């Protein structure tokens, strides 16, 4: 609105144009995966002990483990594993 700060839409547009021009396809694929994982990690559940959320967390750990060869994700895995209950 103030014509000084770009909107979220403008940031997304510029990011896409930049990545299309300068990133290799495998880098773009990684960024998409990581973006999804980061969003998932920021998710705040209404019912953290529910079976559905526990399944969600286990699936998230598997996705992180798939990235272990590309980037260090041990801390993220530990964080998610600490939220998983063994009785569910």
């Amino acid at each position: 609105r103030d014509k000084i700060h770009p909107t979220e839409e403008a940031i997304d547009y510029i990011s896409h144009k930049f990545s299309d021009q300068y990133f290799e396809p495998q880098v773009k694929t990684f960024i998409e995966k990581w973006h999804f994982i980061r969003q998932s990690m920021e998710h705040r559940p209404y019912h953290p002990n529910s079976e559905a959320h526990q399944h969600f967390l286990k699936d998230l750990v598997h996705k992180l483990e798939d990235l272990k060869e590309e980037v260090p994700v041990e801390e993220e895995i530990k964080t998610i594993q600490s939220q998983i209950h063994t009785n569910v």
Side-chain angles (χ1 to χ4, degrees):
R1 288 186 167 242
D2 62 12
K3 308 236 192 277
I4 294 173
H5 299 93
T7 64
E8 195 69 34
E9 183 179 4
I11 292 169
D12 288 343
Y13 177 82
I14 293 166
S15 295
H16 276 286
K17 290 296 184 183
F18 182 85
S19 66
D20 284 345
Q21 185 68 33
Y22 296 105
F23 292 166
E24 296 290 328
Q26 58 269 37
V27 173
K28 290 192 284 188
T29 300
F30 172 79
I31 290 171
E32 289 172 12
K33 287 180 190 176
W34 187 249
H35 178 72
F36 177 78
I37 288 172
R38 289 299 307 162
Q39 281 184 322
S40 297
M41 289 182 66
E42 292 171 4
H43 174 71
R44 297 294 170 244
Y46 288 116
H47 305 288
N49 297 323
S50 72
E51 187 175 333
H53 183 66
Q54 292 297 305
H55 178 73
F56 169 80
L57 293 174
K58 290 174 186 174
D59 186 52
L60 185 54
V61 167
H62 290 299
K63 287 179 175 145
L64 284 164
E65 287 175 346
D66 288 343
L67 293 179
K68 280 170 69 171
E69 297 295 319
E70 298 177 56
V71 293
V73 291
E74 289 78 16
E75 289 299 315
E76 288 84 356
I77 290 173
K78 284 181 190 177
T79 300
I80 300 302
Q81 286 177 332
S82 72
Q83 299 172 40
I84 296 175
H85 303 293
T86 55
N87 61 349
V88 176

